[in-house]
Every structure is written in C-alpha cells, then in structure tokens.
C-alpha cells in the first residue's frame, strides 16, 4: 500500500519550446519520452516560468542584469508560440485497492494540456486557480508514470508602447493574471508574461474519502477568555459504494522544547454516499483562555496545530489535513476622529505602519527560504502590515505561513488595477477581464486557499480602482461578514444565541474579514476613490511632520527613493552602469539629476524634485564616484524613511490611523522605493524604518523640535526618563538634558519637551543629537534614536572633512556556529572618551521586548514541519542564553585613532573568504539579519549588535565594519 499523503514534484523536470518538439503529448508519455538533456530539452524551473527556465540554462541573458532584458525577445514580437513550452517529468507510484491519486497544480499561467501515460486532460484558463485531477485510472501498472504538460501563455499578452507606461497597452487586463508583467514605472516588462507552471505541483494519495478545503473560524466571548473553534470541511467519497467513516479533529499546542499538548480530540461517525461530496460541520470546540495570536509589536504569535483525519471502516486512514492556526479577532471601521480606517486586533487598536508588496521575484522563482527572509525583514523593520498590491500575486500559502509566524497582517487585493482596468495611457478597458465568471472562480479558489491564516486581515477589490459592478457585487455578497463579525463589540452572545437561523460561521466562504472595494475607498485615502495617495518622490524630512502634508487618515501608498549600496550596483550592472548621475544646475537654483541609460532602464528615481525639493545628496557635497554616491544616498535613505514614519506616528490617532509605504522591495534589480534590494542586502532606509516603527519610541518632531514619546502598547509607561545629548564635530557635548519621572499613556504620542539647542548661543551649524528613553529603575534603554542635524537653511557639507577623523573603536565578538548557521553578537565601543558618570545609559542595555527573542533564528533553514518551525524561535533563544555566557570564542579587534568624537554611520557587512575571488567580485554573503546597522556611537558609548546568517558549503565568513570615518572596511572577524 502506498503511503497516504502529498509528495511535491519539484525536481527532475525537463522543458522544451513547443515548436522544437515534433512529437505529440501522447508520444512523449508513451513511446518517445525525453531521455535527458538532449536538444531541445533543458533543465526546467518547476515551479517557475518559461523565462526562468531559459535564464537557468543561460539560453538568454539575465533580464535583471544591466540591459539584458532588452536583448530578450518580447512575446508581442515573437508570438505566443515562442513562449509555449512542454514540461516533462516522471514519478513513481503504485496504488493498492481503494487508493486514489490526485495530480495537483496550484498555479499554471495561463492554460495547459496535460498528458499522463498517453491520456490527455485539459487544464482550463486562469492563473489563480488550482487544478486537481483524479488520475487513478490512468496510472501505469508498473508504477512508472510519464507526465507532459504543454503550457500556453496568457491569451492577451499585449504589446509594450515605446514610452513604456503603467501596464503596457493594458491588454493583459483581459486575462485573469498578473498585470505588472507589461512593465510599470518601477519594473521592466517580463518577456514571457510569467508563462509556466509557476506554483507547486504535487501528487496526493488518499483512500476512498478525500478531505477538501476545511474552514477554521474562531469566535470570542467574555473579554477573549472563552473561545470557540468552528470547523467545516468538504468530504468526497471517490469509491463506488457507501462508506462508513470516523472523522477526527485534533488541536495541539506546543510548549518550549517541542513538547505538544493535545487541547482537543473529537471523533464523529459519518456515512457518505458513493461518488458524492458532502459538507460536514463539527460541533464547536471550546477553549478557555487560549494563547492569542497578535501582530508584530503587540504580543506573541501563538499558533495551534489543527489536524483533521478521516478513517474509513475496513480501510484505515483515508486522508489527513493540518494547518497552523491562530486565535485572533480582526475588526475595522472608519474612525470618526480621523476619517481613516482603524484596525483592532483582539479588541486593541493597532496603528498600521507597513508597506506595499508586489511579489518576491519577477520570474516567480519563489521559495520558502526566500519568503522567510522577505517576511522576516518586514518584521525586523517593526512593520505590522503588508499590502499585496492588485497588479501582483494572490500570494502563496508559504508567504502567509511566514506572516503568521512573524506577525505581519496582510491586505490582499484581487487582480484589478486602475491603470489596466479603466485609466492609463491609452485609456484602458474599465470592464475588467473578458471572462467575469473565470475571475470569480479564481477569487473563490484563492479565498479557500488562504482563509485559515491568522495574518490575513482584509480583502480588497483592486488597486486604485473598483472591480466592474457585477464582480464587485459578487465579491461583496460572497465575502459578506457573518452576523457575529458585523458587530464591533459582539463578545457577549454565542453564535447560537444570535439567532437559531444563523449558519455556523465556518459555513461561509470567509465571513470573518471585511471586503473593501478598492484601495482608495472606505477609510483609505479620501475614501471616495479620488487620487489621494502618494506622493512618490523625495521630500524634505520636516515636511512629513507638517499639518498640510497629507490630509486623510490612512494613506495606502506613499513612496520615495531607494538606491542600494554600491556593491549591489556593481553586481547587477556592467561598468558602464557604475556611472553616477550628472547633477545639472537649473536657472532657478534647483538641480536635475541625469542618470546613465542603465539606471534609467532600472527605473532610478532622483534625490531631488526640481521646483519642490533641493537635492538631498548634494547636502553632503558633490559625490566623487559610485561608492561615495551610494554612501551619501544611504544617509538620505535613512533620514527620509525615518522622518516619514515618525511624521505619521507623531499624529497617531489624532490625524492618522495608518500608513503603507510604496514600496518595501523590488521584484527585480530596480533602483527606487525599496528597503532591501533584490539580492537581499538592506539599504539604510531599512534601519530608519526599524527605528521609527518601534512599539515604544522616542523621536524629534522635525517641524516643532519637540521631543516626543510614542507608546503603541496597551500598557502605560511609568517611571521612565529621556536623556537628550547634543554632540558637535569636535567631540564635545554642548547640550545635555535629562527629563525624569515621566509617564506616557497607552496608545498615545506625547510631546515632552522642546529641544532648544538650535536656539542656544552659538549653536554649531552641524551637530548630532542622541535621544534615549530609559527605565529609571535600572537604566534599561527602551528606545535609542540618533540624528544628524543642521541649522535651518544649512547643509551637511561640514561632515565631509569630518570623514578624516579617526575615532578609535573596540569590537568584541562572540560567535555560535551550528552547521552552516552563524549567530554572532558584536559589542562595538567608541573608545574616544570615558563615559560621563552622570548617566549609565551609555552601555545600551536594551530592554527585551516581545518578538526580539526569535531574532537570532532568522537565517535558519526552513524545516518541513510547520509545528517544528514554530519552535525554532524558542530553541535558539535557549541556545543563545547558554551561548551568551561562554567566552571560548571571544575575539577582540581594535581600530586605532587619536580623535575624539562620534563614530558616525557604522555598518557591518559579511563576506566569503575563499581563494580564487577576482578583484571587484561581489563577495557578500546574503541575506544577513542584523539587530541594527547604519548606527552611530557617541564617545564612550557601547552598542550590542546581533548578526545572523547562513554560509554556503566550504565558505569561511569574514565580517567587515565600515563607516563615515572608516572607508576601506576593517576586518573585525
């Protein structure tokens, strides 16, 4: 008997262009199967795309390198046949009596013909639908099965106008597919329009009865002390006779150490007619005071494992299904004070600070490992929401799994965008895809795929557009809330008490989350669909704090710059792309940046806005080369995004309910709007966001120069103090203020005192400001925030000669190595002066907060079991606690210098040290998770930095420290 369960078919695939294969699908899967990598066959990327396969085999240039994409023929010029490909593989499977095998495709773009052992099946159109085929009767008796899939591109791939534009000529909008693929102002066109078997392929073996799409819903009472789990599932009897079966549901939770506790175990007897599908609702399960799932920054992400199994009389186990599930309640409404949509989780208001997301990779090279890094990066930035933009994907279960793990709420849009579905140049078709029934089929299937994830917060019809009326009405109807979830304060009555006629909430398609018709409606932007999101360009940092910057309560898109570090430019462009922009002075005094053609192609956005914003890089002096330009760009990135989030947070609840930055990353090697690049190296803007979005944060209002404390927690802050110190370029401290015995109410931003140094006698034109919020009882630092500032009307040009200062540093590193994973803690000390005895905050003993504990497991390889994965955090916490007391591997390095002053803008990088590296070659090991980077230290100050990464086989890592005063990069490990 074959083992019950799922096997993923993700290796051993071959691919070939259909016009080069002169055989039928029947021949390929019977008498003339490919024997290997003989032309025209090549190693296929499955899951993946045709273009991904061609890149993998070096049959085309890398479209993300330099101008490589320009060399690749576009489907508009080649015709659809050019990107119509065969995909071939084999699998072993021998079933016993009463066993069944389903062949599953979680996503094909756009339609396909399938041949298995000579038998043909049609996989109909639609990128966002699952296909599951019972192929039991056509399996080969000897167990060796031959599978060939002919994949056709979207029906309407469109053409790319010479001027580019948003979504090309918009023809792709006639299909139910990703719309970004014709190019956007942040993305070059994808030449095959993402044609391929782009998501998971699997076979699943069951007995006579199959479990289909269970739905889990929780309801809460008595202030979240009583919780009920509602579960409904479909069951299909594939056999030719009535079956008697036991249906079991089990809920387990995990303690530290991987010990599981069974919270519930329930069994029911069912009789299912032959060949029929039935829907079964379990009696609700009661939990008293369960651990709740909270978003990032509000609490822990408690997850329970829900397992459903079906045992058939006379056969044994027939099928099983499991899912990690979090008990939480998400509510939202339009806030009367701000007009913005206000979200509550488990009854607590949450101030939304997050970002817009397109997709992980433009060639759909999606993986658990990459998703894990992507989502962990968002959590590291202290974000609490990701918006999946309507021109991209309905994101995959793996994406949602990591959002569940790391506490990122998800706003998921359907496949409508204003530019492709009603606006744009040329004006696009307002009626959405040609096949509205197909759109709704894909929408329903997507809801079923994703609805059990606690991180999923809301459904939205489209980006800057509402779906056509019939689709919009259908979505409103099918995603309507269950009566229990319609009331904001319905935690008193049980579902049964609401009404005898009310269906169990797990009988709904979803019923637990709101549906909003578009991204600028109903509490977002001006709420009416008018263009009131943005802006998308560089701003003066103080502008974000001003009354007139943004007039509505929740901005779903506000964007800016995002040049990566120089090493990424060099790794993704030939030398002609290393030329920095020309700074062209205009008659009115503003500067226009003129980028080189490769930067232009990669959608560079300048650091000035002639007529509105003077060039922010030139504030530091004219860059001399690429390294200088990119370093100065990081200074601007840090200031820009910290000011953006601090400006919004300064008006928390009084003016704003949330903001989503456009955008957090690029699905290719783009040069705008990102906090980490496509190679997974962070920009300094990443750490500006990390600072600004802390749950408790001390900040300077750049418009009023008042020091403010932000408390997003549900508890009041008591007996805390603020230390504000100004440091000049000579290393002295001309301004030092401590404000003690403060209390800050929960969910409030409070101005505390004015920072008066600029109004003092003879203030320095350029100076540093260090703010610390700390507990008076033990000097534990809750928030630390460092600014570099100039007087009004000034600039930062005095920082240029400051680069010559040699400020001495001492770096102590402790390392724990487990397999290929490195966990390190660096203690960086500015040795230029002994700390002032009047304050003990110089040690930076940071107060541990919820969520910090799993930092050091960030780069661990994903494991197969979701339950095991949840335990990685606690496992590494224990390892780290044990390891942190060891000193066997302590290393100390020093950077000598005789100058006193601030060690400015320090940052680490991790490199591979192995023989044979050519000069100029990119040696970085990526990704790396840092607890902080791009940081500065005042005299005497010590900063602990945790670093986590995984090294390739046979590679020895080297850590370098760079900074404004440390140009060449000092080896510290």
């Amino acid at each position: 008997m074959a083992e019950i369960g799922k096997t993923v078919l993700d290796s051993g695939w071959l691919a070939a262009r259909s016009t080069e294969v002169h055989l039928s699908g029947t021949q390929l899967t019977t008498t003339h199967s490919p024997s290997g990598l003989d032309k025209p066959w090549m190693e296929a990327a499955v899951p993946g795309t045709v273009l991904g396969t061609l890149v993998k085999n070096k049959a085309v240039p890398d479209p993300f390198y330099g101008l490589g994409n320009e060399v690749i023929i576009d489907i508009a010029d080649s015709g659809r046949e050019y990107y119509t490909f065969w995909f071939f593989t084999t699998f072993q499977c021998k079933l016993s009596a009463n066993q069944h095998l389903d062949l599953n495709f979680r996503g094909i773009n756009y339609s396909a013909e399938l041949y298995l052992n000579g038998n043909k099946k049609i996989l109909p159109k639609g990128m966002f639908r699952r296909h599951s085929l019972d192929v039991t009767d056509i399996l080969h008796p000897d167990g060796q099965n031959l599978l060939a899939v002919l994949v056709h591109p979207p029906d309407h791939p469109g053409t790319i106008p010479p001027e580019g534009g948003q979504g090309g000529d918009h023809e792709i909008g006639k299909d139910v597919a990703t719309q970004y693929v014709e190019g956007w102002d942040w993305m070059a066109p994808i030449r095959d329009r993402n044609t391929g078997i782009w998501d998971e392929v699997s076979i699943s073996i069951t007995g006579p009865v199959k479990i289909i799409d269970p739905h889990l819903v929780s309801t809460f009472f008595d202030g979240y002390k009583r919780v009920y789990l509602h579960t409904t599932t479909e069951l299909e009897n594939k056999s030719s006779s009535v079956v008697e079966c036991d249906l079991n549901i089990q809920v387990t939770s995990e303690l530290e150490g991987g010990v599981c506790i069974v919270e519930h175990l329930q069994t029911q007897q069912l009789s299912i007619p032959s060949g029929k599908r039935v829907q079964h609702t379990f009696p609700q399960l009661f939990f008293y005071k369960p651990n709740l799932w909270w978003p990032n920054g509000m609490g822990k992400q408690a997850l329970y494992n829900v397992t459903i199994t079906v045992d058939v009389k006379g056969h044994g186990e027939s099928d099983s299904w499991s899912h990690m599930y979090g008990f939480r309640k998400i509510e939202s409404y339009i806030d009367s004070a701000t007009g913005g949509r206000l979200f509550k989780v488990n009854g607590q208001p949450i101030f939304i600070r997050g970002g817009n997301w397109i997709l992980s990779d433009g060639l759909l090279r999606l993986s658990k490992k990459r998703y894990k890094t992507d989502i962990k990066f968002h959590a590291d930035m202290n974000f609490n929401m990701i918006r999946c933009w309507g021109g991209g994907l309905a994101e995959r279960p793996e994406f949602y799994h990591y959002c569940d793990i790391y506490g990122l709420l998800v706003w998921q849009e359907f496949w409508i965008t204003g530019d492709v579905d009603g606006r744009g140049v040329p004006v696009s078709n307002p009626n959405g895809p040609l096949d509205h029934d197909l759109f709704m089929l894909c929408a329903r299937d997507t809801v079923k795929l994703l609805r059990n994830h606690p991180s999923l917060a809301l459904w939205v019809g489209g980006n800057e557009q509402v779906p056509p009326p019939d689709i919009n009405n259908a979505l409103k109807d099918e995603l309507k809330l269950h009566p229990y979830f319609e009331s904001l304060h319905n935690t008193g009555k049980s579902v049964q008490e609401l009404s005898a006629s009310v269906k169990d909430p797990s009988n709904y398609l979803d019923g637990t989350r709101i549906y909003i018709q578009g991204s600028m409606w109903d509490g977002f932007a001006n709420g009416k669909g008018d263009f009131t999101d943005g802006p998308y360009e560089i701003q003066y940092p103080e502008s974000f704090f001003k009354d007139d910057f943004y007039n509505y309560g929740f901005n779903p898109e506000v964007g800016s710059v995002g040049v990566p570090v120089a090493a990424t430019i060099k790794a993704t462009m030939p030398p002609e792309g290393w030329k920095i922009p020309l700074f062209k002075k205009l008659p009115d005094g503003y500067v226009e940046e003129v980028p080189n053609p490769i930067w232009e192609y990669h959608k560079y956005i300048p650091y000035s806005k002639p007529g509105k914003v003077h060039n922010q890089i030139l504030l530091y002096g004219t860059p001399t080369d690429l390294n200088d330009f990119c370093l100065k760009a990081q200074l601007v990135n840090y200031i820009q995004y910290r000011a953006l989030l601090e400006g919004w947070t300064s008006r928390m609840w009084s003016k704003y309910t949330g903001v989503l930055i456009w955008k957090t990353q690029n699905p290719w090697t783009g040069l705008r709007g990102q906090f980490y690049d496509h190679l997974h190296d962070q920009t300094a803007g990443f750490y500006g966001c990390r600072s600004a979005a802390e749950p408790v944060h001390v900040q300077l209002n750049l418009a009023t120069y008042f020091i403010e404390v932000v408390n997003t927690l549900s508890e009041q802050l008591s007996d805390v103090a603020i230390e504000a110190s100004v440091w000049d370029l000579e290393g002295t401290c001309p301004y030092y203020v401590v404000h003690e015995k403060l209390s800050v109410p929960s969910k409030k931003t409070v101005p505390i005192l004015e920072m008066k140094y600029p109004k003092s006698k003879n203030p320095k034109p350029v100076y540093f400001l260090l703010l610390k919020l700390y507990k008076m009882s033990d000097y534990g630092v809750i928030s630390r925030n460092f600014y570099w500032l100039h007087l009004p009307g000034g600039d930062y040009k005095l920082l240029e000669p400051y680069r010559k200062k040699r400020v001495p540093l001492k770096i102590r590193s402790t390392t724990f190595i487990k397999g290929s994973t490195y966990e390190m803690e660096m203690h960086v000390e500015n040795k230029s002066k002994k700390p002032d005895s009047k304050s003990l905050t110089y040690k930076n003993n940071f107060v541990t907060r919820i969520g910090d504990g799993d930092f050091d497991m960030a780069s661990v390889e994903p494991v197969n079991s979701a339950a095991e994965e949840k335990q990685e955090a606690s496992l590494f916490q224990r390892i780290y606690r044990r390891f942190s007391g060891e000193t066997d591997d302590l290393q100390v390095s020093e950077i000598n210098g005789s100058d006193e002053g601030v060690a400015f803008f320090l940052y680490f990088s991790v490199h591979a040290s192995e023989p044979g590296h050519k000069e100029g070659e990119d040696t970085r090991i990526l990704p790396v998770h840092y607890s902080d980077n791009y940081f500065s230290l005042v005299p005497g100050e010590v900063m602990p930095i945790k670093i986590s990464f995984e090294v390739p086989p046979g590679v020895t890592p080297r850590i370098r420290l760079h900074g404004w005063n440390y140009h060449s990069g000092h080896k510290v490990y």
Side-chain angles (χ1 to χ4, degrees):
M1 180 183 286
E3 188 175 347
I4 298 292
K6 183 177 86 170
T7 301
V8 176
L9 306 180
D10 60 356
S11 61
W13 287 83
L14 300 173
R17 185 170 279 114
S18 63
T19 54
E20 298 175 8
V21 176
H22 306 297
L23 297 165
S24 68
T26 301
Q27 290 172 310
L28 288 173
T29 57
T30 52
T31 57
H32 291 79
S33 61
S35 57
L37 297 176
D38 297 329
K39 284 189 174 183
W41 295 96
M42 63 188 87
E43 188 180 347
V46 175
T49 64
V50 167
L51 187 54
T53 290
L54 295 172
V55 171
K56 182 176 184 175
N57 289 274
K58 295 183 168 52
V60 296
D62 181 350
F64 293 179
Y65 183 85
L67 297 177
N69 196 50
E70 287 290 83
V71 181
I72 303 171
I73 188 169
D74 192 82
I75 193 170
D77 302 314
S78 67
R80 291 173 69 244
E81 295 78 13
Y82 187 80
Y83 286 111
T84 300
F85 264 61
W86 281 106
F87 293 89
F88 177 87
T89 194
T90 64
F91 64 89
Q92 282 279 342
C93 185
K94 218 171 180 179
L95 301 179
S96 59
N98 290 323
Q99 285 192 322
H100 295 261
L101 184 138
D102 284 346
L103 179 58
N104 311 300
F105 294 85
R106 214 167 63 182
I108 285 185
N109 192 22
Y110 186 61
S111 61
E113 299 158 33
L114 179 152
Y115 295 84
L116 180 63
N117 302 330
N119 297 271
K120 181 179 179 180
K121 306 268 186 181
I122 297 295
L123 299 182
K125 298 172 183 178
M127 183 172 179
F128 300 110
R129 66 187 297 178
R130 293 170 292 171
H131 306 275
S132 187
L133 306 168
D134 188 335
V135 295
T136 306
D137 295 339
I138 56 176
L139 294 178
H140 206 279
D142 69 3
Q144 176 74 358
N145 298 284
L146 308 179
L147 172 64
V149 186
L150 182 64
V151 179
H152 300 278
D155 292 348
H156 302 88
T159 58
I160 313 302
E163 66 275 9
Q166 310 291 73
D169 66 357
H170 316 308
E171 283 290 295
I172 195 71
K174 293 179 178 177
D175 298 328
V176 183
T178 48
Q179 297 186 353
Y180 78 94
V181 290
E182 284 197 65
W184 224 267
D185 59 7
W186 41 264
M187 182 79 181
I190 302 294
R191 300 306 188 188
D192 70 340
R193 309 294 190 264
N194 283 159
T195 300
I197 306 173
W198 68 276
D199 199 6
E200 179 185 275
V201 185
S202 66
I203 54 172
S204 52
I205 298 170
T206 68
V209 177
K210 178 183 178 182
I211 298 168
I212 300 170
D213 291 332
H215 187 199
L216 308 175
V217 175
S218 44
T219 54
F220 303 84
F221 311 96
D222 297 340
Y224 300 88
K225 291 177 186 173
R226 280 196 295 142
V227 177
Y228 293 91
L229 178 64
H230 307 259
T231 308
T232 294
T233 186
E234 282 190 84
L235 300 163
E236 181 181 12
N237 179 2
K238 291 171 172 273
S239 73
S240 57
S241 59
V242 175
V243 297
E244 304 295 327
C245 57
D246 289 338
L247 187 61
N248 312 296
I249 183 168
Q250 177 178 288
V251 183
T252 59
S253 60
E254 295 188 48
L255 299 176
E256 190 165 331
V259 178
C260 292
I261 294 180
V262 177
E263 303 274 353
H264 274 285
L265 178 60
Q266 187 186 90
T267 300
Q268 292 190 288
Q269 282 82 41
L270 289 179
S271 178
I272 307 177
S274 67
K276 295 292 185 183
R277 273 195 186 195
V278 299
Q279 183 171 293
H280 177 78
T281 300
F282 287 89
Q284 62 189 25
L285 301 178
F286 170 68
F287 295 78
Y288 183 66
K289 290 186 177 179
N291 294 319
L292 299 180
W293 184 94
W294 292 96
N296 188 32
M298 292 184 75
K300 293 185 177 180
Q301 290 74 51
L303 292 172
Y304 291 74
N305 193 29
V306 180
T307 302
I308 298 172
T309 57
V310 58
D311 296 315
V312 172
K313 189 175 181 180
H315 176 82
E317 183 176 303
S318 179
D319 199 6
S320 68
W321 175 93
S322 65
H323 202 284
M324 300 300 291
Y325 182 73
F327 290 110
R328 63 96 185 96
K329 186 176 184 181
I330 292 180
E331 307 160 275
S332 76
Y333 56 91
I334 297 176
D335 176 46
S336 58
T338 63
R341 183 157 289 273
L342 191 151
F343 288 84
K344 284 187 173 182
V345 179
N346 303 331
Q348 293 288 335
I350 174 172
F351 188 70
I352 298 296
R353 292 175 291 188
N356 285 266
W357 166 272
I358 314 302
L359 69 163
S360 184
D361 177 76
L363 300 187
L364 301 186
R365 294 170 292 196
L366 311 177
S367 69
K368 275 189 87 171
K369 192 171 183 180
R370 187 172 181 93
Y371 271 137
K372 184 173 187 180
T373 299
D374 284 327
I375 304 309
K376 181 71 175 100
F377 275 176
H378 286 74
D380 286 348
M381 284 189 282
N382 292 312
F383 284 174
N384 53 31
M385 181 176 276
I386 298 178
R387 173 191 172 211
C388 293
W389 175 74
L393 292 182
E395 265 303 351
R396 301 297 87 199
E398 292 79 8
F399 171 93
Y400 276 90
H401 170 71
Y402 288 112
C403 289
D404 295 344
I405 293 283
Y406 291 118
L408 274 299
L409 296 172
V410 184
W411 155 336
Q412 178 68 64
E413 286 179 5
F414 294 107
W415 317 285
I416 296 287
T417 67
D419 292 282
V420 174
D421 296 296
R423 295 186 286 96
V425 181
V427 174
S428 54
N429 166 34
N431 296 317
L434 296 180
D435 189 338
H436 288 201
D437 290 339
L438 173 60
F439 186 100
M440 285 306 302
L441 187 153
C442 290
R444 287 186 207 99
D445 200 53
T446 295
V447 172
K448 289 178 180 179
L449 180 67
L450 303 176
R451 63 191 176 185
N452 294 317
H453 288 278
S455 55
L456 177 56
L458 73 159
W459 303 102
V460 177
N463 163 65
E464 299 178 341
Q465 182 63 295
V466 173
D470 60 323
I471 290 178
N472 195 34
N473 290 332
L475 288 170
K476 283 180 181 177
D477 181 58
E478 300 205 23
L479 294 173
K480 64 178 179 289
L481 292 175
H482 183 277
Y484 169 81
F485 294 95
E486 286 177 349
S487 170
L488 287 172
H489 307 292
N490 196 352
T491 55
K493 293 183 178 180
S494 68
V495 169
Q496 289 81 358
E497 291 170 318
L498 284 174
S499 167
S501 63
V502 169
K503 289 192 297 185
D504 187 280
S506 62
N507 291 163
Y508 278 53
L509 177 63
D510 186 343
T512 68
R513 303 167 176 90
I514 57 163
Y515 167 74
I516 302 291
Q517 58 187 342
S519 66
M520 300 190 298
W521 279 259
D522 302 320
F524 300 120
N526 77 344
K528 301 172 184 176
D530 300 316
F531 268 105
T532 46
D533 50 8
Y536 302 93
E537 64 231 2
I538 192 77
Q539 304 291 326
Y540 291 122
E542 62 272 18
S543 296
F544 296 111
F545 294 85
K546 293 183 177 176
D547 292 341
D548 60 352
F549 183 72
Y550 189 72
N551 295 323
Y552 307 103
F554 193 122
N555 193 342
E557 294 185 14
V558 56
S560 191
V561 292
V563 163
V565 298
T568 292
I569 300 284
K570 292 176 181 177
T572 57
M573 296 180 185
E576 54 266 33
W578 302 358
K579 296 174 183 174
I580 64 175
L582 298 172
F583 295 95
K584 182 179 171 186
K585 189 142 189 187
L586 303 175
D588 60 3
Y590 286 92
V591 169
E592 178 187 355
E593 287 186 39
V594 183
N596 70 61
I598 298 179
W599 283 33
E600 186 81 36
Y601 192 79
H602 286 253
K603 312 296 185 177
Y604 174 74
I605 185 171
Y607 283 71
S608 61
K609 183 71 175 175
K612 289 186 177 178
V613 180
H614 283 288
N615 194 283
Q616 297 296 287
I617 286 179
L618 293 183
L619 288 176
Y620 299 90
T622 303
T624 55
D625 57 19
L626 181 65
N627 291 336
D628 193 29
F629 180 91
C630 289
L631 179 58
K632 286 171 177 169
Q634 300 318 311
L635 290 162
V636 182
N637 291 344
Y638 192 106
I639 288 178
Q640 182 77 179
Y641 288 109
R642 177 178 61 181
L644 188 160
L645 285 179
E646 288 183 341
W648 248 270
T649 309
S650 181
R651 304 296 182 87
M652 179 173 67
W653 312 130
S654 62
K655 186 179 180 184
Y656 301 127
T657 59
V659 62
L660 299 174
I661 298 174
W662 183 267
K663 50 195 178 9
T664 56
Q665 46 74 252
N666 274 300
W668 79 309
T669 49
L671 296 178
R672 63 161 66 192
Q674 60 188 352
F675 300 127
Y676 59 91
D677 59 46
H678 194 254
L679 305 183
H680 272 154
D681 201 355
Q682 300 97 329
T683 71
F686 182 106
Y687 297 97
C689 286
R690 179 173 171 80
S691 170
E694 295 174 300
V696 177
H697 181 62
V698 60
Q699 65 184 36
L700 180 68
N701 185 312
L702 295 177
T704 66
Y705 263 58
F706 264 76
I707 296 169
E708 302 170 337
V709 176
V710 178
N711 180 13
T712 67
L713 303 180
S714 54
E715 304 85 27
Q716 176 174 295
L717 286 175
S718 299
D719 201 29
V720 295
I722 290 175
E723 177 189 75
S725 57
V726 167
W727 298 82
D728 61 25
L729 299 183
E730 286 72 51
T732 63
C733 179
Y735 179 89
Y736 182 89
V737 174
V738 174
H739 204 75
E740 297 184 322
K741 297 181 181 176
L742 297 172
S743 291
V744 183
S746 68
K747 310 288 183 183
K748 293 282 186 186
T749 298
V750 180
I752 303 295
L753 74 157
E754 186 180 1
M755 202 284 286
K756 295 182 177 179
Y757 175 73
K759 297 179 180 177
S760 64
K761 286 186 179 180
N762 302 317
K764 299 296 175 70
V766 175
Y767 60 95
F768 305 111
L769 171 67
L770 177 60
L771 300 178
K772 290 186 182 181
L773 177 71
Y774 63 93
K775 294 163 64 178
M776 293 188 66
S777 57
D778 59 3
Y779 291 93
V781 176
I782 302 168
S783 174
R784 176 189 182 276
N785 202 352
F786 182 89
Y787 295 82
W788 50 104
L789 300 164
H790 60 70
L791 295 180
D795 57 38
Y796 293 113
K797 289 190 175 71
L798 286 175
L799 285 175
E800 189 62 40
Y802 189 75
R803 295 173 92 161
K804 297 175 182 174
K805 280 217 172 193
R806 289 293 168 261
V807 178
L809 296 176
K810 182 177 181 180
I811 303 103
R812 291 187 300 116
S813 62
T814 317
T815 306
F816 175 76
I817 306 170
K818 185 176 186 294
S820 60
T821 300
Y822 278 67
E823 308 290 343
M824 310 184 74
E825 184 153 1
M826 299 282 185
H827 285 262
V828 188
E829 181 180 358
N830 182 338
K831 297 282 289 179
S832 69
K833 186 181 179 183
K834 287 186 178 178
D836 196 314
S837 60
K838 62 188 174 186
S839 171
L840 296 176
T841 66
Y842 69 91
K843 292 180 179 178
N844 284 319
N845 291 320
F846 288 98
V847 174
T848 302
R849 64 177 175 83
I850 293 171
D852 279 352
D854 81 345
F855 174 80
D856 43 288
M857 49 73 68
S859 63
V860 175
E861 185 72 28
V863 292
N864 293 328
S865 162
E868 286 174 31
E869 183 159 354
K870 186 61 187 169
Q871 285 306 316
E872 286 180 350
S874 58
L875 168 67
F876 270 86
Q877 285 176 47
R878 293 196 306 279
I879 291 172
Y880 220 96
R881 280 199 291 270
R882 190 190 72 220
F883 139 72
S884 60
E886 296 176 0
T887 55
D888 293 347
D889 52 358
L890 178 70
Q891 290 190 22
V892 179
S893 61
E894 299 206 25
I895 300 173
N896 295 320
S898 57
D899 294 318
E900 288 194 356
V902 170
F904 183 50
F905 216 53
L906 304 172
Y907 59 100
F908 288 105
S909 60
V910 183
H911 299 263
S913 176
E914 55 182 338
H917 270 310
K918 300 171 187 171
E919 187 162 351
E921 188 178 347
D922 188 13
T923 61
R924 288 172 298 170
I925 293 174
L926 296 171
V928 182
H929 296 267
Y930 302 93
S931 61
D932 203 359
N933 221 0
Y934 296 98
F935 60 97
S936 302
L937 296 176
V938 304
E941 199 178 17
V942 182
M943 177 70 83
I945 304 287
K946 290 181 182 177
I947 305 176
S948 173
F949 57 91
E950 194 175 311
V951 297
V955 169
T956 302
R958 293 288 177 259
I959 314 279
R960 292 182 192 157
L961 180 67
H962 318 256
W964 192 253
N965 314 87
Y966 312 93
H967 317 301
S968 55
H970 293 265
K971 192 175 92 172
V972 296
Y973 176 85

